[in-house]
């Protein structure tokens, strides 16, 4: 069994429907223990143009060993050509929460 290393993966979606579909798949496959959604405004450069859009930011609470599977699932269900997928390690956290996170990621 892999060593449990908690992480948070951040991605964005163009709408809530696409975010919900992906989040549900992640939870059903036990690749994540918790998904959070936020409506945000993003400003960025794309193909030489300055863009501004409303997006849904998804925070995925999971284990590092699931990153490759999560990335693959996001790409398969995403409408963007180049979605943001960023993993950040969790250096410390409330022990009971981290225990819950571990239990709900199939580890």
């Amino acid at each position: 069994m892999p060593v449990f290393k908690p992480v948070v993966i951040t991605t964005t979606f163009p709408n809530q429907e696409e975010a919900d579909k992906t989040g549900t798949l992640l939870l059903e496959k036990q690749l994540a223990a918790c998904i959070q959604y936020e409506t945000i405004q993003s400003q960025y450069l794309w193909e030489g143009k300055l863009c501004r859009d409303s997006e849904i930011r998804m925070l995925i609470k999971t284990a590092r060993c699931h990153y490759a599977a999560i990335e693959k699932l996001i790409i398969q269900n995403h409408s963007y050509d180049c979605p943001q997928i960023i993993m950040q390690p969790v250096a410390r956290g409330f022990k009971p929460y981290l225990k819950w996170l571990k239990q709900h990621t199939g580890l």
Side-chain angles (χ1 to χ4, degrees), residues 82-94:
C82 183
Q84 167 190 298
I85 307 172
I86 298 171
M87 180 178 71
Q88 298 171 303
V90 174
R92 291 185 61 153
F94 183 53

Side-chain angles (χ1 to χ4, degrees), residues 33-89:
C34 176
I35 307 288
Q36 293 176 318
Y37 306 93
E38 301 171 289
T39 302
I40 60 169
Q41 290 293 314
S42 295
Q43 189 171 15
Y44 55 95
L45 293 170
W46 183 251
E47 296 179 344
K49 295 179 185 173
L50 185 60
C51 302
R52 183 179 181 92
D53 291 301
S54 292
E55 293 185 298
I56 304 300
R57 177 170 41 214
M58 177 190 285
L59 299 176
I60 304 162
K61 280 54 171 305
T62 188
R64 183 180 181 158
C65 63
H66 292 321
Y67 178 83
I70 290 170
E71 180 183 271
K72 182 178 179 181
L73 192 144
I74 290 170
I75 291 168
Q76 289 172 341
N77 292 281
H78 214 295
S79 60
Y80 289 170
D81 292 335
C82 183
Q84 167 190 298
I85 307 172
I86 298 171
M87 180 178 71
Q88 298 171 303

